[in-house]
Structures are given as C-alpha cells and as structure tokens.
Amino acid sequence: MAAATRNATRKNSVSSKSKVTKGIYTCGTCLKEVKDSDEALQCEVCMKWFHIVCEGVSKELYAVLVSNDTINTIHWFCKNCNSGAVKLFNIMNNLQSRQEALEKRFEKLEEDFTGQKEKSCDKLEVQQIVNNAIESDKRKLNVIVRNLPEVESRDNNDTIQVSELMSELELPSENVVETERLSTRFTKDKKPRMLRIKLKDMKTKRQVLQKAKNLAKSTNEIYKNVYISPDLTYEQREEDRKSVV
C-alpha cells in the first residue's frame, strides 16, 4: 500500500459491492472470488481487486481507506504496482522539473531575441542615418534646374545652355563643375528634363540660389519659367514638405 496523487476508484464499504452482480471479481493475489462481504481494495493502477489479507492491509488501515472522509484524498496501490508507480512518479517529477527548466530557458532566449532585435533595429537606424549623411554630402554643391530648354541631340551636354544661364545670373560659367540631365529620355510633351548642376563651392551655390529668384523678372522669355533649387535627398524633401504643411 502506498499513498499517491493519481485518482482511481475504490470499494466504498465493507458490505456494499453491488457492481459484482454484473460479473465476478477475482483477487489479484490469490485468484479467488472477491465477494461483496469480503474486505477488499481496488488497486488504482492495475484496477484489480485484492483481499486485504492477501495484501497485508490491516483492518484499521482498511477502515481509513474506505472511509468517506478519505476516499478521494488517499490512494492505494497493490504491492505489485507500488514499486512501478513510485518509479513512474519519480519520472513524472523529473519531467516536470525539466519542463520548468526549459520554460525558463525559453523565456531567457525570448528576452535575448527581443534585445537583439532592438539592437538590430538600432543598427539599421544608425546605418540609415549614415547613408543619408553620405548622400547629403554628395549633393551639397548641387542645384536642380527645372524648365531649362535643351537641344534634342545625343551629344548635347548642356554646356551652352548652362553657360548662358550662368551669364543670365551674372556668374562665371567656370564655377560649373559638371552637369547631368536626370532622365535618359525626353517626355512625350517635349518638356525639358530636370538638370543637375554641380558647382565649384558653397559660395557659388549660395549665389546661384540667391540670384535665381530674379529669373522670373528676366527680359529673356527663356528664363522666366526656369526654377533653381537645392539638390535635396528624399528625407530632406520630406522634412521640407512637412514643415510647409
């Protein structure tokens, strides 16, 4: 006999055993019939019935086991199942301990993963900031010119148009380092492509942007609709747009 934590059925009293009428129960030890009048217990593992005498259970203990006060709190195993049940419960306790350890390890891994993810996001943000700074530095001497007429020709490099534009702005064309149209093809309506001009230094850039405000008042019709602005990155344009809104 042993106490355990597994629920099972047990004979409720010494004199009541009505279930036997549907069949004959035999003692798992002596193999003789277990009658209603016999003092017997049912093992909660193998579910066999046993005479208390065959299992060495005292009458005092039997009375406790079949008492209504203990029927659902104290559990009984036969001698044969008892040793196996102890091993089983030890294994279950060990598995429970291992499960708890694994759960703690999983929680730790989850915390580490969350931390690494946050660090990764921080690295991406830093990298994005660095990339934006590099791109902004590349454009710092550039201006974008809109609506400046161009010649529809493969070998046209806008040298003449830019030189005349600088003259209109009353600035030396020698301060222009390079030029580039921002599209490889003409639009269907033949509208001039935007032109990027890289200038010699920041002083020249400031002068170009300042004098460009006067193009709308030019006596030359070509330049009245020409607009010049800084060459901004996408992020800078978005910031400007938000500040205007």
Side-chain angles (χ1 to χ4, degrees):
M1 188 281 297
T5 57
R6 184 175 179 179
N7 291 327
T9 57
R10 185 188 298 125
K11 188 175 181 182
N12 291 330
S13 67
V14 176
S15 60
S16 176
K17 193 165 180 291
S18 59
K19 293 182 179 178
V20 175
T21 58
K22 295 183 179 181
I24 298 176
Y25 292 89
T26 57
C27 175
T29 300
C30 67
L31 302 181
K32 294 181 180 179
E33 181 182 355
V34 178
K35 300 178 180 179
D36 286 344
S37 58
D38 293 340
E39 295 176 323
L41 294 169
Q42 187 179 33
C43 174
E44 297 183 11
V45 176
C46 65
M47 304 304 291
K48 294 180 181 178
W49 286 89
F50 295 86
H51 297 112
I52 63 171
V53 175
C54 296
E55 284 293 297
V57 178
S58 66
K59 292 182 179 293
E60 292 78 6
L61 179 57
Y62 173 72
V64 172
L65 291 174
V66 298
S67 168
N68 289 332
D69 295 334
T70 62
I71 194 72
N72 293 319
T73 57
I74 300 179
H75 307 278
W76 183 82
F77 307 143
C78 67
K79 293 179 180 179
N80 194 38
C81 293
N82 186 50
S83 59
V86 171
K87 290 180 181 179
L88 176 62
F89 291 130
N90 287 337
I91 292 173
M92 291 175 64
N93 288 332
N94 184 41
L95 287 174
Q96 184 175 0
S97 298
R98 291 177 64 183
Q99 181 180 355
E100 291 174 354
L102 286 173
E103 288 177 352
K104 290 181 179 179
R105 184 178 178 186
F106 176 78
E107 290 176 358
K108 181 65 169 56
L109 288 173
E110 189 174 34
E111 291 176 359
D112 292 344
F113 174 77
T114 301
Q116 290 296 327
K117 186 176 180 181
E118 291 176 353
K119 290 180 180 179
S120 176
C121 290
D122 291 341
K123 289 180 179 179
L124 290 175
E125 290 176 0
V126 170
Q127 186 61 50
Q128 186 64 40
I129 293 173
V130 171
N131 292 340
N132 291 341
I134 293 174
E135 185 64 24
S136 178
D137 186 67
K138 288 180 180 179
R139 302 182 183 214
K140 68 180 181 180
L141 297 178
N142 297 348
V143 293
I144 299 296
V145 182
R146 293 173 174 81
N147 300 328
L148 181 65
E150 59 180 311
V151 179
E152 189 173 349
S153 172
R154 284 180 176 275
D155 58 357
N156 176 50
N157 58 13
D158 293 299
T159 301
I160 297 175
Q161 290 89 332
V162 172
S163 178
E164 292 176 349
L165 173 63
M166 294 296 285
S167 178
E168 180 69 21
L169 296 173
E170 300 178 346
L171 294 170
S173 60
E174 291 78 10
N175 288 345
V176 174
V177 177
E178 62 184 26
T179 63
E180 176 190 10
R181 291 286 178 176
L182 299 185
S183 177
T184 57
R185 296 180 180 180
F186 290 96
T187 59
K188 293 181 179 180
D189 57 4
K190 302 298 181 181
K191 184 178 180 179
R193 297 169 293 172
M194 287 190 295
L195 176 68
R196 176 186 288 131
I197 300 178
K198 183 174 182 179
L199 300 166
K200 181 179 179 180
D201 49 40
M202 289 299 296
K203 179 181 178 181
T204 302
K205 179 180 178 180
R206 286 192 293 269
Q207 289 175 337
V208 168
L209 293 174
Q210 181 64 35
K211 292 179 177 292
K213 299 176 182 178
N214 300 322
L215 289 176
K217 301 176 183 179
S218 174
T219 57
N220 191 331
E221 293 294 328
I222 294 177
Y223 301 114
K224 286 188 175 182
N225 293 320
V226 172
Y227 300 94
I228 303 177
S229 62
D231 185 14
L232 302 178
T233 64
Y234 173 78
E235 287 74 15
Q236 290 172 326
R237 293 195 299 271
E238 284 297 299
E239 288 179 6
D240 282 356
R241 182 182 64 80
K242 291 178 182 178
S243 63
V244 172
V245 174

